[in-house]
Amino acid sequence: MMLKSLFTYISCCIICLCFAFCISCKKQSAETNQDVTEINLGTAHGIVSHEHDIPKVTYPFSTESSGQFTISAVSATVVKIDQEMIFSSASPFPLIQGTVQGYDDLTIPTFPDRFFDGSFSFFGQGNDAVFAAVTVQTSVFSDPINPAIGDFFGSEDFTGTFQITGGTGRYLNAKGSGTYSAHSEWRPPIQAGTLFSGFTTVNCNGTISVLARNGQLQDRY
């Protein structure tokens, strides 16, 4: 009799454990299904996103600009070029003004090796901005300057390349490249501490890729 009761008690315990295990498995399965559903819904509504998954769009990049420049000495053999730019046109998104900077090593007679650390920073509406590295590939003076004899007047045509390295606003994470052609009229210095001044016009043409916004390609103005 005692053995029968013990057997009955053990059987009941086993049944209870099996029942509890089944309930636990069903609960875990339901929670897993709910998590999967939430992930799917989040992805469908754009909640789950990663920057590398955001598409990019490539536009033609072109600008027309002009502005004053100055040349100043950095050392006995290196001069710095500071160029201001005001834009008459820019695409794909408007630009208003900017700067170009770079250096000439006077011990090197020819380009592109003579020019180094060139860059531009162009700015548009709001926080729109685009940045690039710049080279000078060719330079020809149709009217050479000769400051040794007091001739600060000259005309120069030059060309080069640019490599877009980034941006902000509608130019966020921009990448691209292109070429430019420019013409400079050289004049005597108008600022203390500078060697020359002048005026430059520049035309840039290339391509630029920018991030799409909210899953759709950005629109031009």
Side-chain angles (χ1 to χ4, degrees):
M1 186 68 178
M2 183 178 296
L3 289 175
K4 183 177 181 181
S5 298
L6 181 61
F7 178 80
T8 301
Y9 174 78
I10 293 173
S11 299
C12 289
C13 289
I14 293 173
I15 292 172
C16 290
L17 289 172
C18 290
F19 182 74
F21 178 78
C22 289
I23 292 177
S24 176
C25 289
K26 288 182 178 180
K27 182 178 179 182
Q28 184 175 1
S29 177
E31 290 175 349
T32 301
N33 290 335
Q34 182 179 1
D35 290 342
V36 171
T37 301
E38 289 175 353
I39 291 173
N40 290 335
L41 287 173
T43 303
H45 289 84
I47 297 172
V48 179
S49 62
H50 302 281
E51 184 173 302
H52 65 270
D53 295 328
I54 300 174
K56 278 192 168 186
V57 57
T58 299
Y59 290 127
F61 180 78
S62 63
T63 67
E64 295 181 2
S65 58
S66 59
Q68 300 283 340
F69 72 85
T70 61
I71 308 292
S72 56
V74 175
S75 70
T77 59
V78 175
V79 296
K80 181 183 179 183
I81 302 97
D82 288 293
Q83 174 75 59
E84 297 179 354
M85 295 275 86
I86 301 297
F87 290 88
S88 56
S89 69
S91 177
F93 309 118
L95 295 168
I96 300 171
Q97 62 186 6
T99 59
V100 182
Q101 293 183 332
Y103 300 85
D104 273 353
D105 184 340
L106 304 181
T107 66
I108 301 175
T110 59
F111 295 92
D113 295 335
R114 177 186 176 106
F115 182 81
F116 64 98
D117 287 351
S119 65
F120 75 58
S121 301
F122 296 160
F123 303 94
Q125 299 177 354
N127 66 335
D128 287 354
V130 60
F131 312 109
V134 178
T135 72
V136 176
Q137 297 294 313
T138 66
S139 171
V140 176
F141 276 87
S142 57
D143 180 12
I145 56 175
N146 190 349
I149 61 173
D151 183 5
F152 293 88
F153 293 83
S155 297
E156 177 194 19
D157 293 291
F158 58 101
T159 64
T161 65
F162 60 88
Q163 189 75 34
I164 296 172
T165 57
T168 60
R170 285 174 294 177
Y171 287 105
L172 180 65
N173 289 5
K175 300 293 181 184
S177 61
T179 61
Y180 70 86
S181 59
H183 177 82
S184 288
E185 289 294 321
W186 289 65
R187 297 295 182 264
I190 57 176
Q191 295 182 18
T194 61
L195 304 175
F196 292 93
S197 67
F199 190 84
T200 302
T201 58
V202 184
N203 293 319
C204 294
N205 289 284
T207 58
I208 187 169
S209 296
V210 294
L211 290 177
R213 181 174 295 169
N214 298 328
Q216 296 182 358
L217 302 183
Q218 300 186 43
D219 295 325
R220 307 186 196 191
Y221 272 178

